[in-house]
Amino acid sequence: MTQFPDGFVWGSATASYQVEGAWNADGKGPSVWDMLTRRPGAVYGGNTGDTACNQYELYRDDAALMQKLGLQAYRFSISWPRVMPTGRGAVNEKGLDYYDRLVDALLEHGVQPYATLFHWDYPRDLYLEGGWMHPDADRFFADYAALVGERLSDRVRNWMTFNEPQVFLGMGHVTGEHAPGIKLGWGEFMSGLRGICRSHGRAVDALRAVGKQDLWIGMAPVGEIGIPATELPEDIAAARRWGSDLPAPTHWHRDIYLMPMLKGE
């Protein structure tokens, strides 16, 4: 039987666009997912996240359900355009107030908040200026991280910068299946990758600078690896070869994202 280590935290996780709804309530700006779901034929059945689970209104009920389930933690994401409608500049205080209330409700019900800064709902207006390929993409993201950290870090200790950049860059900007639904060449892809990696680093620094307690900061990447079918040397060698060249899985899912963040190269 698998033994989980002491201190292992059991919880659940969502993304803002998946659960919040209230897509244009109280000053929230549009995201690239709001943009994509309005493109005819882009999403099966014309579905949108306009209402979703309506956690924007039902967050206290959700926190009570988590307590009833015995969850120790809840990983939620913050909607960048909810707190900064265009992605930079003006701040939407009503959006920040929502995350204040959510965090307080979680803590009141004995659930530790784990905050993700970005789970795919990039501000539409900032995307139209260049998105992750903008030369100042990292500065925009760091400003956003500092804003949220200043407001929530007194109660939120655990942070993630990105959820699965392999997906929102690869499927959003190369295959075009996810928002913003475009198909870039490898040169533009690498420009976006650079923006994401630099954004992670600057956001970590920004959170540490404003943190009101010692913060645990990481990322939630895709982590596929090759597993040998047997212990035979040829199978082990095949697993090592798997993903050795772009765009095969090892580099696609791991190296080109994590090595800049872990080694600076």
Side-chain angles (χ1 to χ4, degrees):
M1 184 175 67
T2 300
Q3 295 294 317
F4 288 87
D6 293 340
F8 188 90
V9 178
W10 291 94
S12 64
T14 63
S16 50
Y17 188 73
Q18 293 170 345
V19 297
E20 285 179 1
W23 77 278
N24 62 352
D26 294 332
K28 177 187 173 295
S31 75
V32 293
W33 271 101
D34 295 317
M35 179 179 71
L36 180 71
T37 56
R38 280 156 177 75
R39 184 186 304 167
V43 178
Y44 179 78
N47 291 293
T48 75
D50 289 4
T51 303
C53 305
N54 195 23
Q55 189 170 85
Y56 191 75
E57 300 290 343
L58 302 176
Y59 64 94
R60 290 195 62 83
D61 295 338
D62 290 343
L65 284 171
M66 294 177 213
Q67 183 181 48
K68 186 175 181 180
L69 288 168
L71 299 184
Q72 298 170 314
Y74 175 53
R75 181 167 80 95
F76 63 95
S77 77
I78 296 158
S79 171
W80 188 351
R82 191 177 295 285
V83 300
M84 299 180 80
T86 65
R88 59 173 171 154
V91 174
N92 180 25
E93 289 295 332
K94 289 184 178 180
L96 285 171
D97 289 345
Y98 164 68
Y99 294 106
D100 262 334
R101 298 193 301 271
L102 173 62
V103 167
D104 287 345
L106 293 171
L107 293 172
E108 288 168 12
H109 288 86
V111 179
Q112 285 298 313
Y114 282 59
T116 303
L117 289 174
F118 183 76
H119 198 141
W120 308 359
D121 46 353
Y122 198 89
R124 183 201 63 186
D125 291 5
L126 202 53
Y127 161 72
L128 294 175
E129 293 185 40
W132 297 115
M133 293 179 289
H134 193 290
D136 292 323
D138 55 337
R139 179 171 61 82
F140 301 147
F141 192 66
D143 290 345
Y144 159 60
L147 171 73
V148 175
E150 179 70 31
R151 178 64 74 96
L152 301 179
S153 65
D154 59 329
R155 289 153 291 156
V156 180
R157 187 185 186 198
N158 298 282
W159 294 81
M160 276 153 265
T161 55
F162 295 117
N163 184 84
E164 297 178 339
Q166 296 91 332
V167 178
F168 70 76
L169 184 60
M171 297 186 72
H173 296 74
V174 178
T175 67
E177 298 163 85
H178 286 190
I182 58 176
K183 298 181 179 181
L184 300 177
W186 283 112
E188 294 85 2
F189 168 84
M190 288 297 178
S191 176
L193 174 65
R194 179 179 184 273
I196 289 168
C197 290
R198 288 177 61 85
S199 294
H200 167 83
R202 285 191 181 273
V204 170
D205 288 343
L207 285 172
R208 287 175 176 162
V210 302
K212 298 176 182 178
Q213 58 178 316
D214 289 336
L215 305 180
W216 289 84
I217 310 169
M219 187 184 72
V222 176
E224 288 191 19
I225 58 172
I227 305 294
T230 74
E231 294 295 319
L232 293 172
E234 56 265 35
D235 285 345
I236 293 173
R240 286 177 173 157
R241 288 194 304 271
W242 185 81
S244 60
D245 299 306
L246 278 171
T250 296
H251 279 303
W252 180 258
H253 288 303
R254 188 184 69 204
D255 294 353
I256 60 174
Y257 295 87
L258 295 184
M259 290 306 102
M261 298 179 185
L262 297 175
K263 292 187 175 182
E265 62 187 33

